Amino acid sequence: MTSTYVPAELRRRITARARKFCEYCLIHEDDTNFGCEADHIISIKHGGSTTGENLALACLPCNRSKGSDIGSLVHDRFTRFYNPRIDRWFDHFELAPDGGRIAVLSEIGSATARILGFNLPERLEERALLRSLGRYPLPGALLRIEIEEPAAPASGD
């Protein structure tokens, strides 16, 4: 039986792998009111598992907005969300020159940014404040997403 419960040791590994950054919006766990939590990239109800390959670190706003969704409609076509285990962040998003807005570069980015609410006024305000404090984006977030290649999908053949 698959479970939504994430054991403490697995949560620690997910947090360490992400270096305490939300793998979706790049905010650092220390800069959020509620920290970050392990997110099932593909929810249990859609066949996902509670394994490191299917978990990402997500801030509360990203995780709550995503819920159990796995994608959304973009131009009247179902489009999956960005998956931190198989996608490169910079293939789907970029930080606007002001550093607060997250611009989309792909349909995957569009579906993800819209549903996770990346650019809602309150999230832009939060990132603007963090930017004024030198806390967004932190170099570790950008370095992490620039140098880490996503894992190759497991071969099922």
Side-chain angles (χ1 to χ4, degrees):
M1 178 176 197
T2 305
S3 169
T4 58
Y5 171 75
V6 180
E9 179 54 33
L10 182 53
R11 278 194 312 271
R12 280 191 288 277
R13 287 197 318 252
I14 300 308
T15 301
R17 178 181 65 199
R19 298 186 186 137
K20 296 187 174 184
F21 290 99
C22 174
E23 294 186 78
Y24 298 104
C25 73
L26 307 182
I27 195 168
H28 194 275
E29 180 175 55
D30 293 344
D31 294 323
T32 66
N33 287 329
F34 301 103
C36 291
E37 52 197 10
D39 166 57
H40 285 83
I41 298 166
I42 304 296
S43 65
I44 298 297
K45 80 177 192 179
H46 290 294
S49 59
T50 303
T51 61
E53 296 78 32
N54 188 45
L55 291 170
L57 194 67
C59 67
L60 190 71
C62 283
N63 198 14
R64 292 300 183 259
S65 297
K66 181 177 167 284
S68 64
D69 294 343
I70 59 173
S72 185
L73 293 177
V74 176
H75 306 298
D76 295 325
R77 281 192 324 266
F78 178 79
T79 304
R80 70 173 176 85
F81 290 146
Y82 164 76
N83 179 332
R85 301 287 70 79
I86 62 172
D87 296 322
R88 289 176 41 105
W89 197 88
F90 281 120
D91 289 342
H92 302 286
F93 312 102
E94 68 181 359
L95 289 174
D98 69 3
R101 184 170 214 67
I102 298 175
V104 298
L105 303 174
S106 68
E107 289 185 356
I108 288 172
S110 180
T112 305
R114 183 171 49 82
I115 297 299
L116 274 62
F118 283 177
N119 296 312
L120 290 174
E122 60 271 18
R123 299 206 57 204
L124 290 172
E125 186 177 318
E126 175 184 49
R127 289 195 297 267
L129 173 62
L130 290 171
R131 185 164 169 80
S132 73
L133 298 171
R135 299 283 308 165
Y136 190 89
L138 287 174
L142 297 177
L143 178 64
R144 183 191 159 283
I145 60 177
E146 287 176 357
I147 63 171
E148 286 189 12
E149 290 293 322
S155 174
D157 302 326

